[in-house]
Amino acid sequence: MYYILTMTIFKNKDDLFKNISFLKGVGPKLSKYLKNKRIEKINDLLWHFPYSSTDRSNMTTLDKLEAGKIQTIKVKVIKYNFPRVRNLPNKVICQDEFGKIDIVFFNSREGYIRAVLPLNKWVIISGKINFYKSKYQITNPSYITSLDKIDYIKKNIPKYSLTEGINEKSYRKIIEKVINNLPKLDEWYDKEILEKFGFKSWNESLLKIHNFENKDNVGNKYVRRLALDEILSNLIVLSKNRRKFKDSKKENKLFNNSLGKKILNNLEFKLTKNQEKIIYEINEDLRSNKKMFRLLQGDVGSGKTIVSFMTVANVLEFGCQSALMAPTAILAKQHYNLAKKMFDRTKIKIELLTGKTETKIRKKILEDLKNGKIDLLIGTHALFQKKIDFKNLGYIVIDEQHKFGVKQRMSFAEKGGKNCDVLLMSATPIPRTMMLTIYGDMDVSRLTEKPKNRLPILTYSKPEKKINDLIKIIKKNFSENNQVFWVCPLIQDSQILDYSSVKMRFEWLKKKFPNETSILHGELKQNEKDLVLEKFLQKKTKLLVSTTVIEVGIDFPDANLIIIENANKFGLAQLHQLRGRVGRGHKQGKCVLLFKDNLSKNSIQRIKILKKSSDGFFIAEEDMKMRGFGDIIGYQQSGEKFFKIADPVKHGDLFDYAENYIKKIENENIDKFDFLVKLHDRAEIIYTKND
Ligand code: ADP
Ligand code: MG
């Protein structure tokens, strides 16, 4: 029987990549539903694990949610939010006596949602808790049931999170057939590794997980084996990508820093040793005949811009054009103004191109670019959206690249053409353990030294009932010619979770400072936002009440105090980024974290870390430990996970191991892992379309 089934399901291992409709019992209708669960190929079924029934029978109240954890909650459905706009997820707001949570559905229809989450009914929901835009949420919950079925979750049968239109029994039949008849794969690990970690074969590991034999399904060796598989396949793809880059030859760029020296004279400060070292590294890359694909990582305010300008100068000296791209128009403009100043009294021709550039001017710029009359083009990603022809583009710098995502960075890297070097700059500190996993295809320079004149930002915490004290403090700051940010988590007032709303806070502050206060939030249109920021930059306003939309990277030299309300609703890394908005000039930057009275242990620990450290990398590491990885980089926000099995916090040792291992096998026969890489299909995330 077993033999016959094997024969009918998989003739060879590549059948795993056939469409699920290839399986008996999977018709067009079921295929369609499974597609909503991102299951299209047979292989996708394998990674859709059953979840632990024992784990999930533990109910958590909404005051005890922990981001990054899989938790089960008992809540009442109170409101639907079906935006009916493409790509916007459907949302259901639920609550218990202690708080509220958003249940977010990508790819689920209204009818289904109304059926499983009836209004005003109590339900049990299980899934991974996220903390996004200051709210707890579960995205595509793995499990929803009514209260009368509560016993069901306690049964220890493999249970799969399903979606509309999928009958549980028939699904289990299908998955069981697949799992019990997996093609036998050749082992890609040496005996040494298998023994070291106590790993079993790929087949056995999958089988055990799907049969739910080991209840401790996070720490067990079956999961750990597949986790290492996944981590490694990720690193292999990045490593191959990196090699591809290194192997593509380009023209050496030759220069002797003459232009760079000129602009150095326009600076009011001396470069730090760290800046000099990185400039040197980049120069070496520019001079070589291998294409540069480098990430410059440095905390907010560490002085990345000048590093990029110094190296741009060399490319211009050599005679190639350069492009600098920023995520927003206002940041692009700030870079443009600075570039104008720095390249003053040189022959360098600089232009600014954003979505706001008038058509007539835009046309002229495009023409001049083609003719080589513009040397340095600064702009937003309008720079790359339309077909723009450079005469001889030699260098692309992309600022604040974390806003652009993984796939995009590869496409930028290729857009420049054959002779183009690429520098990405990011202020989002990635935990050290994740560097290679995220940026393994690039060389990385880290700017860790802050400019000497920079005083570390002083961080205070204050209970909210003392909010009136802040009025005095703000007044004092105004008298010292300082500007102030006031950050609130949410736009609208919400009754149950008493977040403070920006609007409410704005009204309150406006009464105290009628002429100085302005408001900024995500509901404003981009040009409205820009206007508010321009005014603040020109010091026409002095107090900016804002959500977290205050842009990364913009220099407000006189903004020296930031007040962050409801600070425990923000992640550590985010708080660190926020406070980095102040203290960028010569004066002391200060940050006040406002808290509700009832601080959890967790919150107290977080405040301690922030007060103690101004090292973004350390903070990112701690943040990841506390909240999980997905929240830091934001992959889960798109409903897509970076890893299916591996967990950077729980499997830290495997990540470390894989990092060393990849270095070892890089130069050997990496090909024996080809099938593994195919199984995990990292290529889709990492390769560009040219591959
Ligand atoms: P970020 O790394 O966040 O992009 P910036 O490049 O905007 O930081 O630099 C922040 C501020 O620090 C700017 O006002 C810049 O002029 C200043 N700065 C950069 N390098 C130095 C230095 N070596 N000494 C003093 N100030 C510096
Ligand atoms: Mg910057």
Side-chain angles (χ1 to χ4, degrees):
M1 181 64 178
Y2 179 82
Y3 177 73
I4 293 167
L5 269 178
T6 311
M7 291 306 288
T8 51
I9 296 189
F10 299 117
K11 285 211 185 67
N12 73 52
K13 59 185 183 179
D14 279 318
D15 287 347
L16 280 174
F17 306 111
K18 285 196 168 149
N19 194 282
I20 33 168
S21 58
F22 176 74
L23 295 170
K24 248 194 181 152
V26 184
K29 216 170 147 196
L30 186 54
S31 294
K32 210 182 111 210
Y33 288 131
L34 286 171
K35 200 172 164 188
N36 289 342
K37 294 240 90 180
R38 293 168 202 270
I39 297 174
E40 288 183 65
K41 290 178 288 182
I42 295 172
N43 177 43
D44 298 330
L45 283 169
L46 307 182
W47 314 111
H48 197 63
F49 294 146
Y51 49 81
S52 157
S53 45
T54 33
D55 251 355
R56 286 176 195 263
S57 56
N58 275 329
M59 295 294 169
T60 309
T61 50
L62 294 190
D63 54 337
K64 304 229 166 59
L65 292 178
E66 282 179 60
K69 250 190 162 173
I70 292 182
Q71 292 181 310
T72 302
I73 53 177
K74 185 176 127 187
V75 288
K76 189 174 168 186
V77 179
I78 55 169
K79 200 174 162 214
Y80 297 129
N81 178 357
F82 301 129
R84 294 192 177 79
V85 177
R86 253 176 72 100
N87 297 330
L88 276 189
N90 284 327
K91 236 189 240 176
V92 180
I93 300 161
C94 297
Q95 71 179 52
D96 69 5
E97 307 89 277
F98 300 97
K100 264 193 199 174
I101 186 164
D102 286 353
I103 312 299
V104 180
F105 294 88
F106 287 88
N107 304 318
S108 282
R109 277 186 286 154
E110 229 185 278
Y112 165 74
I113 294 172
R114 285 182 193 275
V116 293
L117 292 173
L119 211 54
N120 296 319
K121 287 274 161 17
W122 286 85
V123 288
I124 292 168
I125 302 174
S126 188
K128 184 151 179 182
I129 309 296
N130 286 328
F131 190 69
Y132 176 53
K133 291 205 171 150
S134 319
K135 285 199 225 178
Y136 284 107
Q137 56 171 232
I138 297 178
T139 303
N140 293 342
S142 17
Y143 186 75
I144 300 175
T145 187
S146 53
L147 292 196
D148 52 317
K149 303 244 173 65
I150 193 161
D151 285 344
Y152 197 53
I153 32 173
K154 289 185 178 153
K155 280 188 206 153
N156 197 18
I157 44 167
K159 196 157 166 53
Y160 295 90
S161 69
L162 298 174
T163 185
E164 177 189 16
I166 306 178
N167 173 297
E168 220 187 292
K169 267 192 202 148
S170 49
Y171 181 83
R172 212 177 299 146
K173 232 190 221 158
I174 292 161
I175 182 73
E176 271 168 20
K177 205 149 89 180
V178 170
I179 285 298
N180 288 318
N181 295 283
L182 289 172
K184 193 160 173 0
L185 305 185
D186 295 331
E187 182 57 70
W188 41 80
Y189 292 128
D190 305 335
K191 231 171 132 191
E192 197 186 309
I193 295 183
L194 296 175
E195 275 167 14
K196 177 181 160 70
F197 292 110
F199 286 166
K200 295 289 187 276
S201 71
W202 180 84
N203 292 59
E204 186 179 342
S205 302
L206 264 177
L207 192 67
K208 287 274 164 46
I209 295 171
H210 278 275
N211 285 339
F212 222 90
E213 286 194 18
N214 195 331
K215 281 186 193 149
D216 169 24
N217 83 333
V218 178
N220 81 38
K221 59 187 180 214
Y222 309 118
V223 170
R224 279 169 58 82
R225 161 168 185 139
L226 299 184
L228 184 62
D229 281 357
E230 189 179 30
I231 298 163
L232 202 60
S233 68
N234 181 69
L235 294 184
I236 289 168
V237 174
L238 288 170
S239 161
K240 283 188 171 175
N241 240 338
R242 177 195 181 89
R243 178 149 305 184
K244 206 182 86 187
F245 246 92
K246 289 262 142 110
D247 289 348
S248 53
K249 293 270 184 304
K250 66 152 206 246
E251 194 184 359
N252 310 62
K253 299 187 172 75
L254 303 174
F255 45 82
N256 48 32
N257 296 316
S258 57
L259 191 55
K261 277 175 198 143
K262 260 188 213 163
I263 65 172
L264 261 191
N265 291 334
N266 287 346
L267 280 186
E268 297 133 27
F269 49 78
K270 268 184 72 180
L271 296 175
T272 63
K273 281 261 153 21
N274 204 178
Q275 282 170 321
E276 278 174 358
K277 181 175 150 260
I278 291 172
I279 291 170
Y280 177 84
E281 272 172 8
I282 296 172
N283 284 343
E284 289 299 289
D285 283 358
L286 295 173
R287 285 192 171 105
S288 88
N289 65 354
K290 289 178 186 151
K291 258 178 114 164
M292 170 168 84
F293 189 34
R294 185 175 282 278
L295 174 75
L296 169 52
Q297 243 208 339
D299 221 341
V300 274
S302 59
K304 295 183 289 295
T305 321
I306 180 68
V307 170
S308 70
F309 284 172
M310 290 297 293
T311 52
V312 162
N314 287 335
V315 173
L316 300 182
E317 182 193 326
F318 169 64
C320 274
Q321 293 168 303
S322 298
L324 171 65
M325 183 165 87
T328 61
I330 187 156
L331 191 53
K333 177 119 185 276
Q334 194 160 68
H335 285 331
Y336 172 74
N337 291 339
L338 185 63
K340 287 290 253 193
K341 214 169 98 189
M342 286 182 57
F343 287 95
D344 190 28
R345 275 175 276 161
T346 67
K347 292 207 179 87
I348 299 306
K349 181 98 175 31
I350 308 169
E351 283 296 340
L352 176 68
L353 182 68
T354 68
K356 287 197 279 183
T357 309
E358 282 172 46
T359 322
K360 222 173 84 192
I361 300 176
R362 181 188 176 85
K363 260 196 180 145
K364 174 91 171 77
I365 290 179
L366 295 192
E367 212 177 283
D368 287 352
L369 267 181
K370 226 197 247 144
N371 300 330
K373 284 188 198 155
I374 294 172
D375 303 301
L376 171 57
L377 182 65
I378 297 178
T380 54
H381 58 299
L383 282 193
F384 288 104
Q385 268 173 350
K386 307 249 166 63
K387 249 210 160 338
I388 296 185
D389 291 325
F390 288 81
K391 185 169 179 229
N392 61 349
L393 183 63
Y395 193 22
I396 303 178
V397 179
I398 299 167
D399 195 17
E400 302 300 350
Q401 86 85 29
H402 62 280
K403 290 216 168 178
F404 295 114
V406 184
K407 258 190 231 172
Q408 265 171 312
R409 79 168 180 243
M410 286 304 295
S411 68
F412 293 141
E414 305 214 330
K415 266 182 186 141
K418 206 170 133 274
N419 279 321
C420 192
D421 291 299
V422 179
L423 179 70
L424 306 178
M425 302 198 287
S426 168
T428 304
I430 303 292
R432 194 202 52 78
T433 41
M434 292 307 292
M435 273 314 283
L436 205 59
T437 308
I438 307 284
Y439 292 120
D441 51 343
M442 289 192 270
D443 293 313
V444 180
S445 299
R446 272 185 159 194
L447 200 44
T448 47
E449 185 186 4
K450 297 263 167 80
K452 293 234 165 41
N453 61 2
R454 196 67 43 79
L455 301 161
I457 296 159
L458 294 175
T459 302
Y460 308 91
S461 53
K462 225 178 190 0
E464 219 167 74
K465 59 182 180 225
K466 291 196 180 161
I467 198 164
N468 283 315
D469 295 0
L470 289 170
I471 301 301
K472 237 188 309 171
I473 297 175
I474 293 173
K475 273 189 186 143
K476 183 158 176 285
N477 271 275
F478 284 175
S479 72
E480 289 163 358
N481 210 9
N482 289 332
Q483 289 172 295
V484 180
F485 292 118
W486 188 304
V487 178
C488 308
L490 274 192
I491 298 176
Q492 295 296 340
D493 242 6
S494 127
Q495 284 171 345
I496 298 211
L497 290 182
D498 51 348
Y499 293 119
S500 319
S501 87
V502 185
K503 284 176 182 163
M504 181 204 81
R505 189 57 68 211
F506 172 66
E507 294 304 330
W508 185 74
L509 285 164
K510 212 176 154 186
K511 283 191 194 114
K512 325 255 177 207
F513 308 102
N515 299 320
E516 287 96 343
T517 313
S518 56
I519 178 167
L520 183 72
H521 54 76
E523 279 181 4
L524 296 177
K525 297 207 184 77
Q526 189 60 47
N527 56 350
E528 293 170 326
K529 280 189 215 166
D530 287 351
L531 200 69
V532 172
L533 288 170
E534 283 289 356
K535 275 191 175 165
F536 191 68
L537 206 54
Q538 291 162 13
K539 300 192 74 173
K540 286 184 183 148
T541 56
K542 288 190 209 155
L543 172 59
L544 185 62
V545 187
S546 170
T547 54
T548 53
V549 295
I550 340 168
E551 304 292 347
V552 186
I554 305 177
D555 239 344
F556 297 100
D558 288 311
N560 287 308
L561 171 64
I562 184 165
I563 295 158
I564 304 173
E565 204 168 330
N566 241 320
N568 50 322
K569 295 294 174 198
F570 293 98
L572 276 184
Q574 203 179 7
L575 288 172
H576 178 67
Q577 288 266 339
L578 281 172
R579 73 178 171 180
R581 307 287 198 281
V582 300
R584 289 165 75 94
H586 300 276
K587 285 196 234 170
Q588 175 71 60
K590 279 165 271 167
C591 170
V592 178
L593 305 173
L594 269 182
F595 289 97
K596 304 270 170 213
D597 274 344
N598 46 349
L599 280 184
S600 66
K601 237 192 195 159
N602 195 296
S603 299
I604 293 168
Q605 173 66 13
R606 284 150 42 98
I607 302 171
K608 262 196 199 142
I609 292 167
L610 278 174
K611 281 187 178 172
K612 187 174 77 180
S613 175
S614 56
D615 176 353
F617 295 103
F618 171 77
I619 290 171
E621 203 93 31
E622 295 300 304
D623 199 24
M624 183 173 85
K625 281 185 209 152
M626 290 176 138
R627 305 194 314 145
F629 168 67
D631 294 293
I632 294 176
I633 323 200
Y635 284 95
Q636 281 171 1
Q637 293 171 11
S638 60
E640 200 177 327
K641 288 203 287 186
F642 194 80
F643 288 116
K644 295 180 292 239
I645 313 156
D647 180 327
V649 179
K650 287 173 188 132
H651 303 135
D653 64 322
L654 298 179
F655 278 83
D656 289 345
Y657 185 83
E659 288 198 7
N660 288 320
Y661 190 60
I662 186 78
K663 281 175 205 143
K664 212 172 87 187
I665 57 172
E666 235 164 6
N667 303 313
E668 296 168 15
N669 58 336
I670 211 164
D671 298 345
K672 73 171 173 178
F673 295 98
D674 279 356
F675 195 75
L676 167 65
V677 172
K678 214 169 155 190
L679 276 173
H680 286 280
D681 204 15
R682 304 301 299 181
E684 206 223 320
I685 295 186
I686 296 153
Y687 282 136
T688 59
K689 28 179 195 316
N690 298 348
D691 287 284

